[in-house]
Amino acid sequence: MKVKLFSLIALIGIVFSCKDVQEPSPNNRIEGVYEFVSEGNYGWGEKKFNFVDLMEFNSDGTVTGEGYTTEIGSDEILGYRSYFSGTYSISGDIVTIDYSKSYFMGIADINFLPKEDLTLAQVTDNIGSFSILENYSELMSICPNNGACGTPISFLRVE
């Protein structure tokens, strides 16, 4: 009798201890750092560089990012091409960034500048959208309907 009673109590305990497992919110799922790296030269000369672009999403709905230049095969930052801060929203499998402050190089034909020499963008419609792919492990840029974007850029989650 004790075995049956114990089995019944154990079964009831198991049934009532199982709670519905809630899916993490989209903001918690996107939280982390995403990176895009390319190689090239925007300036005069033959030397090539790594161009690194990072975006960091926080679960509170804020996002920051920066674009910097390194020597190929090195992590040492030579200078910056851009940086931004803003907020984001997620709808389905699309994340939309509203850039509140965005800084960029105001000079053509160079590969980097000191961060403090970048220029604040004076734009009123400063929004970007990305498709969320592979269970939040990749973000692919979406070209606006009226834009000429070229090849989409793929940011891979690194943290």
Side-chain angles (χ1 to χ4, degrees):
M1 183 68 168
K2 286 184 181 181
V3 172
K4 288 183 182 180
L5 183 59
F6 177 73
S7 298
L8 180 62
I9 292 172
L11 180 61
I12 291 171
I14 290 171
V15 168
F16 286 105
S17 69
C18 293
K19 296 179 182 175
D20 290 334
V21 176
Q22 289 185 345
E23 183 75 20
S25 73
N27 284 18
N28 285 336
R29 294 184 72 198
I30 200 168
E31 186 176 22
V33 176
Y34 294 79
E35 176 184 68
F36 170 73
V37 180
S38 61
E39 188 179 292
N41 185 328
Y42 295 139
W44 305 103
E46 302 295 321
K47 186 173 185 176
K48 293 199 178 210
F49 299 93
N50 272 342
F51 301 123
V52 180
D53 294 289
L54 299 174
M55 293 190 294
E56 182 172 1
F57 292 86
N58 302 301
S59 62
D60 66 358
T62 60
V63 59
T64 57
E66 60 185 14
Y68 59 84
T69 303
T70 67
E71 299 276 356
I72 294 177
S74 171
D75 291 333
E76 181 182 346
I77 296 174
L78 300 172
Y80 289 81
R81 297 180 332 282
S82 63
Y83 68 98
F84 73 87
S85 61
T87 58
Y88 70 89
S89 60
I90 298 174
S91 178
D93 62 351
I94 304 292
V95 60
T96 302
I97 298 173
D98 185 2
Y99 303 95
S100 57
K101 288 191 177 178
S102 181
Y103 295 81
F104 66 98
M105 292 191 312
I107 303 169
D109 300 329
I110 58 173
N111 292 294
F112 55 88
L113 285 171
K115 197 170 193 176
E116 61 273 5
D117 289 350
L118 297 178
T119 304
L120 177 63
Q122 302 294 328
V123 233
T124 55
D125 186 22
N126 205 6
I127 294 175
S129 296
F130 297 83
S131 295
I132 300 168
L133 305 172
E134 303 296 326
N135 199 25
Y136 290 84
S137 66
E138 181 180 359
L139 302 176
M140 181 74 69
S141 64
I142 298 173
C143 185
N145 292 335
N146 60 351
C149 296
T151 305
I153 297 172
S154 177
F155 284 80
L156 300 177
R157 182 185 216 124
V158 292
E159 288 181 25

